[in-house]
Amino acid sequence: MVLEATVLIIDNSEWSRNGDYTPNRFQAQIDAVHFLFGIKRSDNPENTVGLVANGGESPDVRVSLTADLGVMLKGMQGLEIRGESHFDTGIQIAQLVLKHRANKHQKPRIVAFVSSPIAADEKTLVKLGKKLKKNSVSIDIINFGEIAANEQKLTAFIEAANNNDTSHLVTIPPGPHVLSEQIRASPIAGELSSAMGGGGGGGEFDFGMDSDMDPELALALRMSLQEEEERQRREAAQQSGGSGDAANQGGAGDDGDAVMEDLDEDEQIRRAIQMSLMESGSGNDQSDDVVASLIGGLPGVDKDDPELQDALGNPDQSKDRTGGPSSKDGSQGK
């Protein structure tokens, strides 16, 4: 996520009354300003956006750098079409606004709409472009309306200002298309609009909400979705590895079943109870006592049978048969 401070420059000169763009050049810019504000804020909640109007006697700073959509909308209220455009002066004013940004970690950027003929000559624009490059200010130009009259000048301007392909010139011919949609498909929006998944001012995306109204929530939802997808990938990988382990354990269990089948019934019962006690964490002495008690309670089974005691591994009976101390009377064997 790029941390940026961006100043949008709108061309509200008399040339913006023309209706060769939907609904006209001026309203198309208003819609695009709303769209650009949304993608900048969606990219990083700490991004700020300002607005400068080029038309009239001189450029007018309508909105200082802000992260509040309400402030931006309020600044656009009452904006009227008037006078001639002052492209080069508007660029310089936007640069001053960026110079006084509160967060110096923000990268400065200017996005300028050009819908009227540029009065400044090419030499002046090249000089201005070099100044922007020297001050590390990136600039994007949206050339529409008077394309033929401005193409050469703007191309030279962008070449002078461009630094590591951080500045762009986008030329949009007239037609029934929406200006903001054309910007969304351009390098000016780039991957940001793809993440929003929609165009226009109100970019609805995968979550069915207007990301412009709450950019912080939209960003949090996208991050949450990415974390959930990563968690599901990890679980799938663990399950793949666990399947092989389960197959190996199943093979070992089959071998154990074959061994149990070779034992007599009493030994099978003893083994089963011992395995159960081992799983529950019981000790060996306790398991022997429990096994002896359970087998002694079986009908027709004599728990004192020497052969049964040998199968149970009774240490007292073993000592009696080898001349060891007796567990019943405590006398010494002779």
Side-chain angles (χ1 to χ4, degrees), residues 191-268:
E191 297 180 355
L192 305 184
S193 61
S194 299
M196 292 177 65
E204 289 190 3
F205 63 124
D206 293 344
F207 301 100
M209 59 169 286
D210 187 351
S211 59
D212 290 347
M213 298 305 296
D214 197 338
E216 291 87 352
L217 176 59
L219 178 63
L221 289 173
R222 280 200 303 273
M223 293 177 65
S224 177
L225 178 61
Q226 292 171 358
E227 290 175 358
E228 176 63 18
E229 291 174 348
E230 180 63 26
R231 184 188 66 79
Q232 292 178 359
R233 283 194 293 268
R234 287 198 304 267
E235 288 184 354
Q238 290 176 357
Q239 290 176 0
S240 308
S243 299
D245 295 340
N248 294 335
Q249 292 176 1
D254 294 341
D255 294 340
D257 293 341
V259 173
M260 289 286 284
E261 291 176 357
D262 296 336
L263 302 176
D264 57 29
E265 183 178 355
D266 292 339
E267 184 64 17
Q268 288 181 9

Side-chain angles (χ1 to χ4, degrees), residues 21-311:
Y21 292 81
T22 306
N24 58 42
R25 295 182 185 181
F26 178 72
Q27 291 298 330
Q29 290 179 83
I30 296 296
D31 178 61
V33 165
H34 190 193
F35 167 73
L36 288 170
F37 183 92
I39 65 171
K40 294 296 182 182
R41 295 282 295 127
S42 296
D43 182 43
N44 193 320
E46 295 185 13
N47 283 353
T48 54
V49 183
L51 181 66
V52 173
N54 255 350
E57 296 181 359
S58 63
D60 178 23
V61 179
R62 303 290 301 186
V63 181
S64 298
L65 293 171
T66 181
D68 190 341
L69 177 61
V71 174
M72 177 62 68
L73 295 176
K74 184 177 180 180
M76 288 191 292
Q77 288 181 354
L79 184 59
E80 298 177 351
I81 298 174
R82 56 197 178 101
E84 299 292 327
S85 175
H86 307 275
F87 176 78
D88 53 334
T89 307
I91 295 291
Q92 296 178 50
I93 291 176
Q95 187 177 359
L96 287 175
V97 172
L98 292 170
K99 183 178 180 180
H100 293 89
R101 64 191 184 278
N103 187 353
K104 299 300 181 182
H105 295 290
Q106 293 174 322
K107 295 181 179 180
R109 178 175 293 275
I110 298 171
V111 180
F113 295 87
V114 181
S115 65
S116 58
I118 298 175
D121 57 32
E122 184 175 327
K123 184 178 179 180
T124 301
L125 294 179
V126 169
K127 184 178 179 179
L128 179 59
K130 291 180 178 179
K131 183 179 179 180
L132 293 176
K133 183 177 181 179
K134 180 180 178 181
N135 295 326
S136 300
V137 178
S138 302
I139 184 165
D140 298 320
I141 301 294
I142 301 168
N143 182 25
F144 71 108
E146 303 303 314
I147 297 175
N150 297 326
E151 188 74 22
Q152 183 176 346
K153 292 181 180 181
L154 292 176
T155 300
F157 172 69
I158 289 296
E159 288 177 353
N162 196 11
N163 185 14
N164 296 324
D165 198 30
T166 56
S167 299
H168 308 91
L169 171 61
V170 176
T171 300
I172 302 175
H177 45 255
V178 179
L179 185 65
S180 59
E181 286 291 334
Q182 301 301 308
I183 296 173
R184 183 175 67 87
S186 72
I188 293 178
E191 297 180 355
L192 305 184
S193 61
S194 299
M196 292 177 65
E204 289 190 3
F205 63 124
D206 293 344
F207 301 100
M209 59 169 286
D210 187 351
S211 59
D212 290 347
M213 298 305 296
D214 197 338
E216 291 87 352
L217 176 59
L219 178 63
L221 289 173
R222 280 200 303 273
M223 293 177 65
S224 177
L225 178 61
Q226 292 171 358
E227 290 175 358
E228 176 63 18
E229 291 174 348
E230 180 63 26
R231 184 188 66 79
Q232 292 178 359
R233 283 194 293 268
R234 287 198 304 267
E235 288 184 354
Q238 290 176 357
Q239 290 176 0
S240 308
S243 299
D245 295 340
N248 294 335
Q249 292 176 1
D254 294 341
D255 294 340
D257 293 341
V259 173
M260 289 286 284
E261 291 176 357
D262 296 336
L263 302 176
D264 57 29
E265 183 178 355
D266 292 339
E267 184 64 17
Q268 288 181 9
I269 294 174
R270 177 178 176 275
R271 288 281 185 92
I273 296 174
Q274 281 186 332
M275 290 172 64
S276 177
L277 291 171
M278 287 174 64
E279 291 176 357
S280 63
S282 300
N284 293 334
D285 294 339
Q286 181 181 1
S287 65
D288 289 340
D289 294 340
V290 175
V291 171
S293 174
L294 290 173
I295 293 179
L298 296 173
V301 177
D302 183 6
K303 67 178 181 178
D304 296 325
D305 185 0
E307 294 182 358
L308 180 58
Q309 294 297 331
D310 286 341

